[in-house]
């Protein structure tokens, strides 16, 4: 604000410039002395009404006090800000209350899931691992109850519990719900109890049946057939089977028949071994029983069956006594011919075993050369006389 002595008014937007002001006045016809005086008045007025001058609070146009210009927000602005702050506080409080409500509901849902898991047959260790997973889900804002269930079903520990579903899916079948899976297990368990093989109830057995899509009706037929097959089996073979494999039980045999693809070949192998052992006993072989399990398993690997065992041990029963006697008579040759050698020759076509027998026969023949000649009546054993007449050993 500046005072103009020429116009006798104050100019609010005037910016003091003494040199320009004096020139303006002289251009208007004032003398330099009057122009300079006017400029001095202007400068004094500027200093007086300046913001730091004594007339800072005086309005030059009225001579009265200035109306203070507000420097802060208006009342309306203050009211609006207060209303906005109150709304924000309420929104925050409402959100906090809703978050707490949602967390409580989420915790309740997770607690139900955790409680339900205890009815699924998980072990204590497995429950502890799953509980840790659930607790971690509580702090995950993106993890709801349904997502938790989906993610939990992908855990190795969960898949192991419902292993039958993995097999089903791999075979192009639908996975069973937990409820249906557990019901299948309960139905199988009842069948096993009914047939006296309750100890077959296990996760592994159930998962095999469920994975193989074996219905309860089909499982009942299989158990019934398996139990009857055990009961109607040859007693001698069963006795030898249990002798050679003391840990095998009727329940094991039933289990084999329930899983024919995986287990039946093993049962058949053991049964064949038992049949070979039983046949050896029937033909009077002395080296039998559990101590000779490896011997009979070895013969089974060579392809010996029940039929070939009967034929082979029939021949051995006829020839072995004579061959053993020759070995005892001509002990100085260092040649022995017993059950092991006879089995090797008979079942494995062993050239070494055959040479041993021929050596003993040749020794026997040589001992009778001389005055008597080779008279078959003079040979020491019936076995040798029979072999000599055939001309082949």
């Amino acid at each position: 604000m500046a005072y103009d002595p020429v116009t006798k008014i104050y100019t609010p937007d005037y910016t003091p410039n003494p040199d320009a002001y004096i020139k303006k006045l002289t251009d208007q016809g004032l003398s330099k002395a009057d122009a300079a005086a006017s400029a001095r008045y202007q400068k004094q007025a500027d200093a007086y009404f300046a913001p730091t001058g004594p007339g800072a609070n005086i309005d030059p146009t009225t001579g009265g006090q200035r109306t203070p210009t507000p420097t802060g927000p208006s009342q309306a602005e203050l009211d609006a800000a207060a209303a906005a702050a109150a709304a924000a506080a309420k929104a925050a409080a409402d959100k906090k209350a809703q978050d707490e409500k949602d967390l409580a509901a989420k915790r309740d849902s997770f607690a139900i899931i955790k409680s339900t898991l205890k009815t699924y047959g998980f072990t204590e260790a497995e429950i502890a691992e799953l509980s840790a997973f659930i607790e971690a889900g509580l702090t995950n804002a993106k993890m709801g109850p349904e997502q938790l269930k989906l993610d939990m079903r992908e855990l190795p520990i969960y898949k192991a519990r419902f292993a039958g579903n993995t097999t089903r899916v791999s075979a192009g079948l639908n996975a069973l719900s937990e409820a249906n899976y557990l019901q299948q297990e309960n139905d199988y368990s009842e069948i096993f109890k009914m047939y006296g093989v309750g100890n077959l109830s296990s996760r592994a057995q159930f998962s095999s049946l469920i994975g193989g899509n074996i219905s309860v009706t089909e499982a009942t037929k299989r158990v019934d057939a398996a139990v009857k097959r055990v009961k109607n089996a040859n007693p001698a073979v069963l006795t030898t089977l249990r002798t050679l494999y003391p840990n095998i039980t009727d329940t094991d045999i039933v289990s084999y028949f329930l899983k024919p693809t995986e287990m039946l070949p093993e049962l058949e192998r053991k049964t064949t071994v038992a049949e070979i052992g039983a046949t050896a006993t029937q033909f009077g072989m002395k080296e039998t029983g559990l101590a000779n399990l490896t011997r009979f398993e070895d013969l089974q690997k060579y392809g010996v069956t029940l039929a070939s065992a009967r034929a082979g041990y029939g021949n051995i029963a006829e020839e072995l006594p004579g061959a053993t006697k020759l070995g005892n008579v001509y002990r100085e040759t260092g040649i022995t011919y017993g059950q092991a050698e006879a089995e090797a020759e008979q079942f494995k076509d062993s050239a070494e075993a055959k040479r041993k027998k021929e050596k003993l026969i040749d020794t026997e023949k040589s001992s009778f050369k001389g005055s008597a000649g080779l008279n078959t009546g003079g040979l020491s054993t019936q076995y040798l006389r029979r072999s000599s007449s055939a001309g082949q050993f």
Side-chain angles (χ1 to χ4, degrees):
M1 181 67 66
Y3 174 71
D4 188 345
V6 177
T7 61
K8 309 297 185 180
I9 63 173
Y10 291 91
T11 306
D13 296 328
Y14 175 72
T15 301
N17 188 337
D19 292 338
Y21 187 65
I22 290 174
K23 184 178 185 302
K24 176 182 177 183
L25 293 179
T26 55
D27 289 343
Q28 292 176 359
L30 267 68
S31 66
K32 286 187 177 182
D34 289 339
S38 179
R40 285 195 298 273
Y41 294 145
Q42 175 69 40
K43 185 175 182 180
Q44 291 174 0
D46 290 341
Y48 182 83
F49 291 112
T52 58
N57 293 326
I58 297 175
D59 186 346
T61 59
T62 64
Q65 294 289 323
R66 291 178 184 274
T67 300
T69 301
T71 58
S74 66
Q75 186 61 46
E77 292 173 331
L78 292 174
D79 292 343
K90 183 177 184 305
D94 290 346
K95 183 177 184 305
K96 181 180 179 182
Q98 186 61 46
D99 288 346
E100 291 176 350
K101 182 178 179 181
D102 292 344
L103 181 59
K106 184 177 181 180
R107 188 178 296 278
D108 288 344
S109 297
F110 282 21
I112 293 173
I113 294 174
K114 187 186 296 186
S115 176
T116 302
L117 290 176
K118 295 180 180 179
T119 68
Y120 285 0
F122 285 104
T123 66
E124 288 298 324
E126 290 169 338
I127 287 292
E129 183 176 337
L130 292 172
S131 294
F133 178 81
I134 292 173
E135 290 300 322
L138 278 173
T139 61
N140 186 347
K142 298 180 180 180
M143 179 77 76
E146 295 307 315
Q147 186 62 49
L148 177 79
K149 292 178 185 177
L150 292 175
D151 290 354
M152 189 164 55
R153 289 188 179 113
E154 295 302 316
L155 295 176
I157 193 174
Y158 202 94
K159 287 185 175 182
R161 173 61 187 90
F162 298 97
N165 274 340
T166 301
T167 306
R168 289 177 63 86
V169 172
S170 298
L173 300 171
N174 293 329
L176 299 180
S177 68
E178 287 87 349
N180 288 339
Y181 196 105
L182 294 172
Q183 185 60 54
Q184 286 278 81
E185 289 186 336
N186 290 337
D187 291 342
Y188 294 144
S189 182
E190 288 301 317
I191 295 171
F192 295 150
K193 289 179 182 177
M194 182 171 61
Y195 281 92
V197 287
N199 55 344
L200 281 180
S201 298
S202 66
R203 280 191 194 178
Q205 185 69 67
F206 294 149
S207 67
S208 176
L209 294 171
I210 292 174
N213 199 30
I214 305 301
S215 67
V216 174
T217 301
E218 175 63 21
T220 302
K221 291 180 180 178
R222 290 193 181 188
V223 173
D224 182 71
V227 171
K228 288 179 179 178
R229 187 165 181 178
V230 171
K231 290 181 178 179
N232 297 331
N234 186 327
V237 174
L238 280 180
T239 299
T240 305
L241 184 64
R242 295 189 180 101
T243 299
L244 296 178
Y245 301 99
N247 294 327
I248 198 170
T249 64
D250 289 351
T251 301
D252 295 326
I253 299 174
V254 172
S255 177
Y256 293 153
F257 287 113
L258 288 176
K259 298 184 287 186
T261 302
E262 302 89 345
M263 303 303 295
L264 194 54
E266 177 64 10
L267 176 61
E268 290 175 343
R269 184 190 72 81
K270 290 182 177 180
T271 301
T272 299
V273 171
E275 288 172 342
I276 295 171
T279 302
T281 300
Q282 291 170 355
F283 280 93
M285 299 297 106
K286 296 181 179 179
E287 298 175 15
T288 58
L290 181 59
N292 292 280
L293 172 61
T294 303
R295 174 199 298 263
F296 300 132
E297 287 183 331
D298 188 49
L299 293 177
Q300 184 272 332
K301 290 178 182 178
Y302 267 88
V304 177
T305 63
L306 175 59
S308 60
R310 286 173 175 169
Y313 278 116
N315 293 334
I316 292 173
E318 292 183 8
E319 299 179 356
L320 183 58
T324 301
K325 183 176 180 180
L326 285 179
N328 292 333
V329 171
Y330 302 108
R331 191 171 300 169
E332 69 277 4
T333 63
I335 299 174
T336 58
Y337 191 92
Q339 181 179 332
E341 287 75 20
E343 289 172 341
E345 181 183 4
Q346 187 68 45
F347 298 118
K348 302 179 183 179
D349 196 24
S350 170
E352 181 181 0
K354 186 175 182 179
R355 282 195 299 270
K356 285 185 177 183
K357 187 175 72 173
E358 290 176 344
K359 179 64 175 176
L360 289 174
I361 294 173
D362 289 341
T363 302
E364 172 78 347
K365 288 179 178 180
S366 297
S367 68
F368 280 89
K369 285 181 180 180
S371 59
L374 185 57
N375 183 353
T376 57
L379 297 181
S380 63
T381 66
Q382 181 64 32
Y383 160 74
L384 185 54
R385 285 194 292 272
R386 183 180 66 253
S387 299
S388 178
S389 64
Q392 297 291 333
F393 303 98

